[in-house]
Amino acid sequence: MGSGQTVAVFGAYGHTGRFVVAELRERGFRPVLSGRAADRLKALAYGTELEARPASVDDPASLDRALEGSAAVINCAGPFATTAAPVIEAALRAGIPYLDVAAEIEANVDTFAHFADRARDAGAVIVPAMAFFGGFGDLLVTAAMGDWTGADEAHIAYGLSDWHPTAGTRAAGAVSRQRRDGRRIVYSNGRLEHRHDAPPTLQWPFPDPIGPRPVIGEFTMADVVTVPSHLSIPEVRTYMTVQAARDIAAPDTPTPTAVDERGRSAQTFLVDVVVRSGDAERRAVARGRDIYAVTAPLVVEAVDRVLTGRTNAVGVASAGEIFDAPEFLRALSPDITLELRP
């Protein structure tokens, strides 16, 4: 458990940040609440023993004060195209590990490109995309690979019952769309490619209880950055159920609604991963509830493993590279159920 270690949470008052703060406390860590909005931090800290330290990505000194005395920092504040680099710089100055929950493809590309050499030379740990999109898919692909050192294809199909996006998700999506200038992204032939055509719609054979469903065939998520960062797979494709894709595209889809004492929504998910090498195929299936809420045990488990030395790499590393993927995923029970085939 956390043994009282202090972990700074930047963007603590956001939808996902609140789940992360609660998970840290449950696991024995002491969160320090940080972010730009001092009034929201004060409201979150009210009635608790937690310390609020306002900080802005435009003010490095404020970030240094926010991270002072912490063992690690978790960045939950999007858009990460704006926040990731300044908070990483602050973590490097403080000499502490950095983890974020970025689902933005471009922001994650930037983290690998701009900080890989510096982090490796410093022996620092930076784990981007330690969330449902990016880290989770990477862990599942890595676990499915088993003893394979490479594969021809990796397919990650997201079976979401619905998708009520947070304000942060919408803001991050707007930044990504602006950077893409109307294009979409795929990972093919061992590289990221921009395309102008519409993505295909097809049927994906999800296992029970979902069964076959129509999906957007190239609904590209952060997995196309995390998976190829350490696995030799030239084709990485991600898919999204049509209903969930429609939800996030519609401007009037409401934000998530809490339906239990933990603040989780009724949304359920099934992630179906298939890796192929020649004629051989391996599969991983994971089930759970609320993609935002489940990000909390993902990133807090990661923090715990980093701080206790249960890691396989230094520098900028994705979840599947730095952690023992099957062991990590099994540690997430009961939040996630896992099935590896074979």
Side-chain angles (χ1 to χ4, degrees):
M1 303 298 285
S3 301
Q5 289 178 292
T6 300
V7 175
V9 182
F10 189 72
Y13 47 72
H15 186 83
T16 301
R18 288 173 177 266
F19 283 119
V20 171
V21 168
E23 184 76 16
L24 284 167
R25 297 184 73 186
E26 185 174 332
R27 294 191 55 159
F29 291 96
R30 183 178 177 84
V32 167
L33 313 179
S34 189
R36 180 187 294 271
D39 55 341
R40 297 181 69 183
L41 289 173
K42 183 178 179 179
L44 183 60
Y46 181 78
T48 75
E49 78 288 359
L50 301 181
E51 183 179 0
R53 299 180 187 174
S56 167
V57 295
D58 301 321
D59 182 356
S62 71
L63 289 173
D64 292 343
R65 290 192 295 271
L67 271 54
E68 185 178 358
S70 291
V73 58
I74 301 173
N75 183 6
C76 298
F80 292 90
T82 300
T83 68
V87 182
I88 291 172
E89 292 283 5
L92 290 172
R93 291 193 297 272
I96 62 175
Y98 167 95
L99 302 91
D100 69 35
V101 297
E104 298 163 45
I105 294 171
E106 295 82 5
N108 289 309
V109 169
D110 289 347
T111 296
F112 277 98
H114 297 160
F115 292 100
D117 292 341
R118 285 177 59 193
R120 184 180 60 251
D121 293 345
V125 171
I126 296 173
V127 187
M130 194 61 242
F132 182 79
F133 293 116
F136 190 37
D138 183 30
L139 288 165
L140 290 169
V141 170
T142 306
M145 291 277 287
D147 59 357
W148 288 357
T149 57
D152 299 320
E153 304 170 354
H155 303 267
I156 307 165
Y158 289 101
L160 274 57
S161 61
D162 54 61
W163 191 352
H164 290 198
T166 64
T169 296
R170 290 202 184 279
V175 171
S176 288
R177 286 192 297 274
Q178 184 178 30
R179 293 184 68 174
R180 295 174 196 176
D181 193 25
R183 301 169 295 173
R184 64 186 183 89
I185 294 179
V186 299
Y187 188 86
S188 185
N189 300 311
R191 65 181 184 275
L192 290 171
E193 298 179 352
H194 287 88
R195 296 181 180 175
H196 292 276
D197 60 336
T201 299
L202 49 85
Q203 287 285 116
W204 184 267
F206 288 103
D208 292 336
I210 293 181
R213 292 288 179 91
V215 297
I216 305 298
E218 292 172 357
F219 194 96
T220 306
M221 302 306 293
D223 314 277
V224 301
V225 179
T226 55
V227 171
S229 72
H230 69 105
L231 294 174
S232 179
I233 307 177
E235 303 289 329
V236 180
R237 303 292 173 88
T238 60
Y239 310 78
M240 181 65 65
T241 43
V242 167
Q243 181 57 55
R246 287 174 178 163
D247 286 342
I248 195 171
D252 57 349
T253 301
T255 56
T257 300
V259 297
D260 69 10
E261 69 284 353
R262 293 172 57 186
R264 297 182 302 174
S265 72
Q267 178 199 53
T268 60
F269 63 80
L270 187 154
V271 186
D272 189 20
V273 167
V274 176
V275 292
R276 295 193 178 104
S277 180
D279 295 330
E281 179 178 294
R282 291 179 175 178
R283 197 170 193 172
V285 179
R287 299 172 176 84
R289 177 175 167 188
D290 193 328
I291 64 174
Y292 297 107
V294 83
T295 288
L298 278 162
V299 72
V300 174
E301 178 68 23
V303 164
D304 188 56
R305 287 170 181 260
V306 168
L307 294 179
T308 54
R310 291 176 289 162
T311 54
N312 302 322
V314 295
V316 181
S318 67
E321 179 181 13
I322 196 169
F323 303 120
D324 181 311
E327 181 188 21
F328 189 108
L329 290 165
R330 293 189 180 101
L332 297 174
S333 176
D335 294 289
I336 293 167
T337 60
L338 172 69
E339 182 182 356
L340 297 176
R341 306 177 184 178

